[in-house]
């Protein structure tokens, strides 16, 4: 079968992350052509400052080398600029005359440095700092000249300035605000940053507006609007970015500041998508790697025909690390936006921490000097956690601050936001796979491989894992009950790996303290035995009563079961779901609710699983709870038919069966596992099929064993 033609305009981080996801999901679906206007394969633009600072080489920041494209059959054109998109005939043409037809087109043109209208800004010796060529130019200038100036005291400007200092140039930074990084920091943290950088050799000109670049044929300096001036042989402009939208505009694609896209990254033209810094979603164009990667994953699933959760936006954050100075900022930090919940200053260690709140929830944070808590605070801001969660956990005796943070961080908490890597994945790489260094863990898991901001906490988790070994994985995991030292996870792993078929054998082998056990551990043992060995385990009826599956259904409106709404037959879907799941045992009672329309509510959002007919299809929610504490269900997916809704729901329930601990209600499991990770698994077609297969096998095996059990009882 012939492959569909996919053309990608842009060879940057966002576009290639999307291509990588597409190949992972559907390796044989597309014939892929990529156009990049630079003469390089895909590289990590964020780490250009590390090249300037001497911490990395250009080769070391390449993400996908030439062989990566060749091995995947990707036709890469470097040094080529696409001049026009012929959307009616579905092909693109480049300035050099190359034509490429497409069935699907992804625009990932990124952004360029914003060049303000300053007189003389186009003179020789004035450059921006956006790509490898800019980096090479700065290195060459440093060999000939000694005075440099950076216009812009934001994140990129300071990183460029630090690089110029490392190259041996005298460096001045000009900023039009009264303090550095004024969009990300408060006055106190900014003053701390300024002091540190001044000690390293930077000079600052704050609250200054540049009027012109002086010099006849090339730049010689800067004149300010107040009449003062500054000598400089090299001037770097770093005052912001501008999305590259010219190609889209002249091709008739709707744009605003960037290319307008919907929740699935679709533009106004059919079969054309946009992702990355050139895309504007719900009025926002992002310039950070984590949101761009999130967009790429959503687009990849959508373009491959997989059911995908929509992209609903991201919480942007900033991270700076220059010559030992670490800064992190996220969310609402200004006094007019939120109140201060925590403010801590340590003059001896040179650290600062500020967390803001609004309406009892965490809204923002600033860290200076020690950013190990950054990913934890980012998570709190993302889910608007209650301020009570800011209370520090008990100290671990004798450990460093980072080790203490690593020890107390929840196992499933995201550590690397860019690549969605959690603590557990890092610890398993060290403890189970035998990795010894941060670099090995980075290469295996991708944690800290993008912006590098999470590097301190990744290093701390690696160090903590090496120190404590398997005990580190088990330390925060309590035993099932007082009858044993065995945790739920340890018990599950043992039963899965062994053919033990009775509770008596398990208690003997695992050294139960109280051999008679209790209702808690006996029920857990019975449940896990059936979960992993359904073909040999006869169900204890006492457990079935505690872990039932029930479905509530609102009366179906006969008027809706016609025409476009014929698929929204809640009675039929209820019957199918009940048939699939009624014979399965669950970790805790599961209550489901199904209704054909939101006009007939049955508490969809306060059930363990809720399904309702909506204009886009069946909406499937999970994790609701009607009793204290009341929890609102979260959207898992939208299904287009009864069959799809059944497959998604059954896969979700089987994932819950396998991953939850015995006695853990679904809402607790959803919060612990994370809704994003659950969606990722459920919406992956291969995972979904496999989960449904295992559910069917378990149901069939249990039905056979129930029949056998009844036969034995009747013979007795």
């Amino acid at each position: 079968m012939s492959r569909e033609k996919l053309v990608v305009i842009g060879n940057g981080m966002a576009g290639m992350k999307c291509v990588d996801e597409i190949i992972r999901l559907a390796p044989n679906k597309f014939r892929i052509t990529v156009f990049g206007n630079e003469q390089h394969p895909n590289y990590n633009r964020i780490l250009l400052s590390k090249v300037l600072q001497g911490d990395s080489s250009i080769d070391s920041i390449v993400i996908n080398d030439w062989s990566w494209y060749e091995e995947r059959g990707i036709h890469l054109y470097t040094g080529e600029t696409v001049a026009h998109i012929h959307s009616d005939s579905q092909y693109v043409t480049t300035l050099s005359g190359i034509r490429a037809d497409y069935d699907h087109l992804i625009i990932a043109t990124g952004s360029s440095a914003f060049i303000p209208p300053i007189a003389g800004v186009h003179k020789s010796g004035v450059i921006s700092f956006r790509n490898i060529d800019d980096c090479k130019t700065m290195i060459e200038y440093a060999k000939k000249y000694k005075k440099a100036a950076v216009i812009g005291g934001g994140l990129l400007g300071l990183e460029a300035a630090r690089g110029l200092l490392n190259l041996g140039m005298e460096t001045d930074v000009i900023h039009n605000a009264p303090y550095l990084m004024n969009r990300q920091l408060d006055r106190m943290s900014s003053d701390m940053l300024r002091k540190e950088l001044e000690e390293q050799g930077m000079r600052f000109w704050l609250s200054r507006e540049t009027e012109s670049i002086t010099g006849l044929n090339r730049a010689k300096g800067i004149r300010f609007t107040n009449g003062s001036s500054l000598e400089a042989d090299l001037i770097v402009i770093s005052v912001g970015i501008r999305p590259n939208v010219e190609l889209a505009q002249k091709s008739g694609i709707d744009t605003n500041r960037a290319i307008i896209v919907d929740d699935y990254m679709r533009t106004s033209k059919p079969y054309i998508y946009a992702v990355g810094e050139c895309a504007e979603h719900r009025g926002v164009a992002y310039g950070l790697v984590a949101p761009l990667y999130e967009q790429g994953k959503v687009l990849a699933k959508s373009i491959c025909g997989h059911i995908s959760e929509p992209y609903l936006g991201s919480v942007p954050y900033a991270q700076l690390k220059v010559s030992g100075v670490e800064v992190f900022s996220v969310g609402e930090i200004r006094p007019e936006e939120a109140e201060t919940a925590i403010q801590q200053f340590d003059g001896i260690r040179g650290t600062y921490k500020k967390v803001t709140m609004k309406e009892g929830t965490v809204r923002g944070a600033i860290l200076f000097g020690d950013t190990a808590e950054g990913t934890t605070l980012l998570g709190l801001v993302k889910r608007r956690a209650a301020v009570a969660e800011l209370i520090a956990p008990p100290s671990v005796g004798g450990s460093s601050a980072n080790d203490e943070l690593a020890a107390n961080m929840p196992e499933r908490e995201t550590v690397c936001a860019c690549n969605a890597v959690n603590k557990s994945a890092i610890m398993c790489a060290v403890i189970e796979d035998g990795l010894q260094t941060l670099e090995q863990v980075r290469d295996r898991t991708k944690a800290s491989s993008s912006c590098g901001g999470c590097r301190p906490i990744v290093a701390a988790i690696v160090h903590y894992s090496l120190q404590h070994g398997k005990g580190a994985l088990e330390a925060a995991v309590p035993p099932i009950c007082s009858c044993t030292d065995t945790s739920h996870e340890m018990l599950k792993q043992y039963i899965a790996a062994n053919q033990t078929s009775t509770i008596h054998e398990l208690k003997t082998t695992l050294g139960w303290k109280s051999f008679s056990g209790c209702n808690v551990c006996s029920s857990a043992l019975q449940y896990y035995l059936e979960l992993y060995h359904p073909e040999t385990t006869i169900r204890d009826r006492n457990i079935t009563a505690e872990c039932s599956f029930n479905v509530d259904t609102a009366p179906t409106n006969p008027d809706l079961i016609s025409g476009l709404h014929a698929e929204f037959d809640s009675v039929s879907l209820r019957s199918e779901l009940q048939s699939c799941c009624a014979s399965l045992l669950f970790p805790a009672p599961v209550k489901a609710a199904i209704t054909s329309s939101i006009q007939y509510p049955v508490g969809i959002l306060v059930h363990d699983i809720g399904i309702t007919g909506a204009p886009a299809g069946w909406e499937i929610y999970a994790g609701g709870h009607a009793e204290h504490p009341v929890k609102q269900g979260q959207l898992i997916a939208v299904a287009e038919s009864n069959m799809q809704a059944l497959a998604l729901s059954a896969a979700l329930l089987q994932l819950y069966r396998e991953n939850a601990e015995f006695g853990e209600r679904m809402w607790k499991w959803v919060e612990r596992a994370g809704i994003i990770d659950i969606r990722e698994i459920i919406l992956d077609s291969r995972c979904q099929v496999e989960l449904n297969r295992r559910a069917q096998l378990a149901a069939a095996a249990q039905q056979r064993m129930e029949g056998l059990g009844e036969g034995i009882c009747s013979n007795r």
Side-chain angles (χ1 to χ4, degrees):
M1 188 173 66
S2 62
R3 298 186 180 188
E4 297 178 56
K5 294 181 286 291
L6 171 64
V7 171
V8 183
I9 305 174
N11 189 35
M13 296 175 72
M16 290 308 97
K17 177 65 173 181
C18 187
V19 168
D20 194 25
E21 288 289 322
I22 288 170
I23 292 173
R24 183 181 67 82
L25 293 171
N28 300 310
K29 185 176 178 64
F30 296 105
R31 188 168 73 247
I32 302 173
T33 302
V34 177
F35 291 98
N37 58 10
E38 294 188 56
Q39 296 286 356
H40 310 280
N42 178 32
Y43 63 89
N44 191 334
R45 195 181 304 276
I46 299 168
L47 298 181
L48 282 174
S49 59
K50 304 299 181 187
V51 175
L52 275 184
Q53 294 169 30
D55 296 332
S56 303
S57 65
I58 288 176
D59 288 342
S60 70
I61 69 171
V62 171
I63 299 173
N64 302 314
D65 60 17
W66 301 105
S67 63
W68 182 85
Y69 298 87
E70 185 177 350
E71 290 167 1
R72 288 156 181 77
I74 299 172
H75 196 158
L76 171 64
Y77 291 97
T78 56
E80 287 286 348
T81 300
V82 174
H84 197 77
I85 299 169
H86 305 265
S87 57
D88 293 337
S89 303
Q90 293 187 213
Y91 70 93
V92 302
T93 52
T94 70
L95 287 176
S96 66
I98 297 174
R99 167 178 170 150
D101 297 324
Y102 69 83
D103 296 304
H104 299 274
L105 174 68
I106 297 174
I107 304 174
T109 47
S111 62
S112 303
F114 171 69
I115 306 299
I118 299 172
V121 76
H122 298 295
K123 291 178 181 177
S124 174
V126 182
I127 67 170
S128 57
F129 180 44
R130 288 293 295 165
N131 55 41
I132 285 178
D133 291 339
D134 294 332
C135 204
K136 290 179 177 178
T137 299
M138 294 164 76
I139 292 171
E140 289 302 312
Y141 262 84
K143 296 176 182 177
K144 302 177 184 178
Y145 303 102
K146 290 301 177 187
K147 292 179 182 272
V150 177
I151 300 178
L155 191 68
L156 295 178
L158 294 178
E159 289 184 338
R162 180 59 257 182
L164 291 167
L165 275 180
N166 279 28
L167 292 172
M169 300 191 79
E170 298 176 23
T171 306
D172 292 90
V173 176
I174 298 96
H175 194 46
N176 61 3
Y179 59 91
L180 300 173
M181 291 183 67
N182 52 294
R183 294 183 179 179
Q184 295 90 15
L185 303 180
D186 61 5
R187 190 63 184 253
M188 186 170 185
S189 55
S190 179
D191 287 347
M192 294 175 71
L193 174 62
R194 177 183 173 180
K195 181 181 177 182
E196 287 279 353
L197 296 178
E198 283 177 335
E199 289 177 357
Q200 294 180 18
M202 281 188 212
R203 297 187 294 254
F204 296 99
W205 303 65
L206 302 178
S207 298
R208 299 294 178 98
E209 295 283 351
T210 302
E211 180 183 88
S212 62
I213 307 296
T214 61
L216 294 176
N217 298 321
R218 64 175 310 281
K220 289 295 184 182
I222 293 172
R223 181 178 292 113
F224 301 115
T225 55
N226 66 359
S228 60
S229 61
L230 170 70
E231 290 185 6
D233 302 305
L234 172 65
I235 298 170
V236 179
I237 306 290
S238 184
V239 294
I241 59 174
R242 177 180 55 84
N244 294 323
V245 298
E246 295 81 3
L247 175 63
Q249 285 176 335
K250 68 181 182 181
S251 302
I253 297 171
D254 290 348
T255 64
N256 188 25
R257 180 171 180 265
I259 302 169
I260 298 172
V261 297
D262 65 8
D263 290 351
Y264 295 92
M265 314 314 294
R266 296 174 293 206
T267 70
S268 60
K269 294 286 186 180
Y271 309 111
I272 299 179
Y273 316 84
V275 67
E277 292 177 336
C278 68
E280 180 177 319
H281 173 264
R282 299 190 181 186
V284 180
Y286 296 94
L288 299 167
V289 67
L292 311 188
Y293 279 7
E294 290 172 19
Q295 292 176 1
K297 288 183 178 181
V298 171
L299 175 53
K301 288 181 179 179
S302 177
I303 211 169
C304 290
H306 291 219
I307 298 172
S308 172
E309 72 280 10
Y311 175 69
L312 302 177
S314 302
V315 176
Y317 63 94
Q319 191 121 14
L320 172 72
K321 184 174 182 179
V322 287
S323 295
V325 180
E326 297 182 10
V327 180
F328 172 85
S329 172
V330 63
E332 303 166 16
I333 58 168
R334 302 178 188 279
E336 63 270 21
E337 295 175 328
E339 303 172 77
T340 299
I342 293 176
Q343 192 167 21
Q344 298 172 345
F345 170 70
D346 187 332
I348 297 175
R349 294 178 59 227
T351 61
Y352 174 75
K353 173 181 176 180
K354 178 180 177 180
V355 183
T356 62
M357 65 180 181
K358 187 176 181 180
E359 298 175 351
T361 61
V362 181
R363 294 300 181 91
I366 297 171
L367 298 174
F368 180 90
D370 183 356
T371 60
E373 284 186 87
T375 51
T376 299
L377 291 169
L378 174 61
L380 295 178
V381 173
K382 279 184 174 181
R383 57 188 177 88
R384 295 201 171 181
V387 175
E389 293 191 40
L390 291 170
I391 299 173
S395 176
V396 179
S399 65
S400 69
N402 280 0
D403 278 352
E404 183 177 327
L405 184 61
N408 291 310
M409 179 181 287
E411 183 182 350
R412 289 176 175 81
E413 182 166 321
T414 298
V415 176
C416 177
C418 297
N419 297 288
V421 184
N422 62 23
K423 175 186 173 182
S424 177
I426 296 169
M427 294 186 72
C428 287
V430 175
I431 296 168
E432 296 181 0
D433 298 341
L435 304 187
Q436 297 289 312
T437 67
L438 171 65
E439 288 70 26
Q440 291 173 334
V441 171
R442 178 199 61 202
D443 294 341
R444 174 71 61 84
T445 67
K446 301 301 181 186
S448 79
S449 66
S450 295
C451 75
C454 60
R455 186 181 176 90
I457 188 60
V458 174
I461 294 171
V462 171
H463 179 256
Y464 179 76
S465 301
L466 288 170
Q467 275 194 324
H468 298 277
K470 286 193 175 181
L473 280 174
E474 300 165 2
V477 183
I480 295 172
C481 64
S482 59
C483 303
T484 177
D485 292 328
T486 305
S487 68
H488 286 275
E489 191 59 36
M490 292 166 61
L491 180 58
K492 289 166 71 173
Q493 290 177 4
Y494 180 83
I495 294 176
N498 295 275
Q499 290 298 320
T500 305
S501 58
T502 69
I503 293 176
H504 183 274
E505 290 175 1
L506 283 171
K507 288 180 177 179
T508 301
T509 305
L510 296 175
W512 238 243
K513 296 177 184 177
S514 172
F515 199 78
S516 59
C518 63
N519 288 337
V520 174
C521 62
S522 296
S523 297
L525 288 163
Q526 177 72 32
Y527 173 73
Y528 294 136
L529 277 171
E530 178 181 325
L531 179 65
Y532 292 103
H533 305 297
E535 68 286 350
T536 59
T537 305
I538 298 176
R539 178 178 300 175
D540 186 328
R541 299 294 179 181
N542 292 326
I543 300 175
T544 306
E546 296 299 320
C547 302
S548 56
F549 178 78
N550 296 301
V551 186
D552 296 330
T553 311
T556 300
N557 184 351
D559 295 334
L560 292 176
I561 308 305
S562 61
L564 294 175
H565 298 281
E567 68 272 25
F568 298 147
D569 182 353
S570 58
V571 174
S572 174
L573 182 57
R574 176 195 185 282
S575 176
E576 293 169 341
L577 189 59
Q578 188 78 38
S579 176
C580 288
C581 301
S583 61
L584 294 175
L585 193 62
F586 290 91
V590 174
K591 295 182 179 179
I594 305 175
T595 181
S596 59
S597 168
I598 56 175
Q599 299 173 23
Y600 298 90
V602 286
I604 292 297
L605 296 181
V606 290
H607 277 70
D608 296 298
I609 182 168
I611 307 172
T612 181
W618 287 110
E619 293 182 347
I620 303 170
Y621 296 84
H625 191 236
E627 301 168 10
H628 181 74
V630 176
K631 297 288 181 178
Q632 178 174 306
Q634 301 184 64
L635 182 65
I636 294 290
V638 178
E640 296 178 354
S641 64
N642 270 31
M643 183 178 295
Q644 197 174 59
L646 180 64
L648 284 164
S649 302
L652 170 67
L653 290 165
Q654 180 64 15
L655 184 66
Y656 168 57
R657 273 170 38 85
E658 295 178 357
N659 289 7
E661 296 176 353
F662 181 78
E664 185 176 29
R665 293 299 303 261
M666 183 175 281
W667 68 268
K668 287 187 177 181
W669 170 70
V670 168
E671 288 191 351
R672 178 171 63 84
I675 193 68
I676 293 176
D677 289 343
I678 293 172
R679 285 177 185 154
E680 287 280 341
I681 297 169
I682 298 303
L683 296 173
D684 185 304
S685 59
R686 289 171 295 185
C687 292
Q688 186 185 127
V689 168
E690 180 60 22
L691 285 166
N692 275 283
R693 185 187 70 82
R694 293 202 293 266
Q696 291 167 5
L697 289 174
Q702 189 55 49
Q703 288 168 2
R704 287 196 300 272
M705 294 310 296
E706 281 184 341
L708 178 61
E710 289 171 2
I712 293 171
C713 291
S714 62
N715 289 336
R716 288 178 180 173

